[in-house]
Tab-separated table of all heavy atoms in Angstrom:
chain	number	residue	atom	x	y	z
A	1	VAL	N	-3.737	-39.222	29.293
A	1	VAL	CA	-2.346	-39.420	29.681
A	1	VAL	C	-1.445	-38.464	28.902
A	1	VAL	O	-1.556	-38.334	27.684
A	1	VAL	CB	-1.911	-40.870	29.418
A	1	VAL	CG1	-0.422	-41.047	29.674
A	1	VAL	CG2	-2.721	-41.842	30.281
A	2	GLN	N	-0.588	-37.776	29.646
A	2	GLN	CA	0.403	-36.908	29.014
A	2	GLN	C	1.760	-37.138	29.646
A	2	GLN	O	1.871	-37.243	30.878
A	2	GLN	CB	0.016	-35.437	29.164
A	2	GLN	CG	-1.048	-34.978	28.198
A	2	GLN	CD	-1.142	-33.466	28.120
A	2	GLN	OE1	-1.169	-32.801	29.132
A	2	GLN	NE2	-1.182	-32.942	26.907
A	3	LEU	N	2.776	-37.202	28.806
A	3	LEU	CA	4.167	-37.312	29.244
A	3	LEU	C	4.941	-36.223	28.516
A	3	LEU	O	4.951	-36.190	27.278
A	3	LEU	CB	4.732	-38.689	28.896
A	3	LEU	CG	4.012	-39.898	29.496
A	3	LEU	CD1	4.548	-41.186	28.897
A	3	LEU	CD2	4.146	-39.912	31.004
A	4	VAL	N	5.570	-35.338	29.268
A	4	VAL	CA	6.270	-34.206	28.676
A	4	VAL	C	7.723	-34.222	29.131
A	4	VAL	O	8.012	-34.003	30.312
A	4	VAL	CB	5.599	-32.879	29.055
A	4	VAL	CG1	6.353	-31.718	28.415
A	4	VAL	CG2	4.135	-32.870	28.627
A	5	GLU	N	8.623	-34.486	28.186
A	5	GLU	CA	10.044	-34.527	28.488
A	5	GLU	C	10.681	-33.149	28.364
A	5	GLU	O	10.227	-32.302	27.594
A	5	GLU	CB	10.789	-35.479	27.542
A	5	GLU	CG	10.308	-36.906	27.537
A	5	GLU	CD	9.370	-37.206	26.394
A	5	GLU	OE1	8.711	-36.246	25.899
A	5	GLU	OE2	9.282	-38.374	25.962
A	6	SER	N	11.756	-32.970	29.119
A	6	SER	CA	12.561	-31.757	29.020
A	6	SER	C	13.972	-32.069	29.496
A	6	SER	O	14.211	-33.136	30.092
A	6	SER	CB	11.961	-30.621	29.856
A	6	SER	OG	11.907	-30.996	31.221
A	7	GLY	N	14.883	-31.149	29.222
A	7	GLY	CA	16.238	-31.275	29.736
A	7	GLY	C	17.297	-31.706	28.738
A	7	GLY	O	18.473	-31.775	29.074
A	8	GLY	N	16.881	-32.008	27.517
A	8	GLY	CA	17.874	-32.387	26.514
A	8	GLY	C	18.707	-31.193	26.076
A	8	GLY	O	18.459	-30.057	26.464
A	9	GLY	N	19.720	-31.479	25.272
A	9	GLY	CA	20.567	-30.409	24.783
A	9	GLY	C	21.855	-30.939	24.204
A	9	GLY	O	22.003	-32.145	23.967
A	10	LEU	N	22.777	-30.019	23.983
A	10	LEU	CA	24.099	-30.341	23.433
A	10	LEU	C	25.112	-30.305	24.567
A	10	LEU	O	25.167	-29.321	25.320
A	10	LEU	CB	24.468	-29.333	22.347
A	10	LEU	CG	25.879	-29.405	21.768
A	10	LEU	CD1	26.088	-30.737	21.053
A	10	LEU	CD2	26.123	-28.233	20.833
A	11	VAL	N	25.915	-31.350	24.672
A	11	VAL	CA	26.912	-31.433	25.732
A	11	VAL	C	28.159	-32.104	25.181
A	11	VAL	O	28.077	-32.913	24.244
A	11	VAL	CB	26.346	-32.212	26.944
A	11	VAL	CG1	26.042	-33.653	26.589
A	11	VAL	CG2	27.264	-32.125	28.147
A	12	GLN	N	29.299	-31.748	25.738
A	12	GLN	CA	30.550	-32.389	25.320
A	12	GLN	C	30.680	-33.769	25.960
A	12	GLN	O	30.116	-34.024	27.043
A	12	GLN	CB	31.740	-31.520	25.710
A	12	GLN	CG	31.891	-30.269	24.867
A	12	GLN	CD	33.206	-29.552	25.128
A	12	GLN	OE1	33.743	-29.613	26.226
A	12	GLN	NE2	33.727	-28.881	24.101
A	13	ALA	N	31.432	-34.622	25.315
A	13	ALA	CA	31.707	-35.940	25.884
A	13	ALA	C	32.285	-35.797	27.288
A	13	ALA	O	33.118	-34.923	27.537
A	13	ALA	CB	32.675	-36.706	24.983
A	14	GLY	N	31.798	-36.646	28.188
A	14	GLY	CA	32.207	-36.568	29.579
A	14	GLY	C	31.296	-35.715	30.442
A	14	GLY	O	31.411	-35.736	31.675
A	15	GLY	N	30.421	-34.962	29.805
A	15	GLY	CA	29.517	-34.088	30.532
A	15	GLY	C	28.288	-34.810	31.060
A	15	GLY	O	28.162	-36.033	30.940
A	16	SER	N	27.391	-34.008	31.635
A	16	SER	CA	26.180	-34.545	32.264
A	16	SER	C	24.951	-33.783	31.818
A	16	SER	O	25.030	-32.588	31.472
A	16	SER	CB	26.290	-34.456	33.793
A	16	SER	OG	27.370	-35.217	34.280
A	17	LEU	N	23.828	-34.467	31.837
A	17	LEU	CA	22.516	-33.865	31.630
A	17	LEU	C	21.514	-34.574	32.524
A	17	LEU	O	21.699	-35.761	32.850
A	17	LEU	CB	22.058	-34.014	30.170
A	17	LEU	CG	22.660	-33.115	29.101
A	17	LEU	CD1	22.164	-33.546	27.723
A	17	LEU	CD2	22.311	-31.652	29.348
A	18	ARG	N	20.457	-33.867	32.893
A	18	ARG	CA	19.364	-34.499	33.606
A	18	ARG	C	18.072	-34.286	32.831
A	18	ARG	O	17.663	-33.143	32.611
A	18	ARG	CB	19.197	-33.964	35.026
A	18	ARG	CG	18.176	-34.794	35.817
A	18	ARG	CD	18.036	-34.359	37.262
A	18	ARG	NE	17.178	-33.211	37.417
A	18	ARG	CZ	16.497	-32.922	38.536
A	18	ARG	NH1	16.602	-33.721	39.576
A	18	ARG	NH2	15.762	-31.832	38.607
A	19	LEU	N	17.465	-35.380	32.430
A	19	LEU	CA	16.185	-35.321	31.738
A	19	LEU	C	15.053	-35.445	32.748
A	19	LEU	O	15.179	-36.153	33.747
A	19	LEU	CB	16.071	-36.445	30.715
A	19	LEU	CG	17.194	-36.555	29.676
A	19	LEU	CD1	16.871	-37.678	28.692
A	19	LEU	CD2	17.407	-35.247	28.952
A	20	SER	N	13.955	-34.764	32.452
A	20	SER	CA	12.759	-34.844	33.281
A	20	SER	C	11.575	-35.236	32.415
A	20	SER	O	11.516	-34.879	31.234
A	20	SER	CB	12.459	-33.492	33.946
A	20	SER	OG	13.521	-33.080	34.768
A	21	CYS	N	10.645	-35.947	33.021
A	21	CYS	CA	9.401	-36.315	32.334
A	21	CYS	C	8.251	-36.055	33.301
A	21	CYS	O	8.116	-36.751	34.317
A	21	CYS	CB	9.430	-37.766	31.918
A	21	CYS	SG	7.852	-38.391	31.287
A	22	ALA	N	7.453	-35.041	32.990
A	22	ALA	CA	6.294	-34.706	33.806
A	22	ALA	C	5.092	-35.504	33.321
A	22	ALA	O	4.742	-35.442	32.140
A	22	ALA	CB	6.012	-33.217	33.723
A	23	ALA	N	4.479	-36.243	34.231
A	23	ALA	CA	3.379	-37.139	33.880
A	23	ALA	C	2.061	-36.618	34.431
A	23	ALA	O	2.024	-36.030	35.521
A	23	ALA	CB	3.661	-38.528	34.433
A	24	SER	N	0.993	-36.842	33.693
A	24	SER	CA	-0.342	-36.468	34.152
A	24	SER	C	-1.377	-37.362	33.492
A	24	SER	O	-1.096	-38.032	32.500
A	24	SER	CB	-0.629	-34.999	33.833
A	24	SER	OG	-0.585	-34.772	32.444
């Protein structure tokens, strides 16, 4: 089993981010 997250970062308040988790 592997779970690999991506998509984090620095954002200002009120902003948006989308996280992804690839599973196998």
Side-chain angles (χ1 to χ4, degrees):
V1 174
Q2 281 195 313
L3 301 171
V4 180
E5 302 98 334
S6 60
L10 173 64
V11 64
Q12 287 190 330
S16 298
L17 284 174
R18 188 176 81 154
L19 306 183
S20 300
C21 171
S24 61

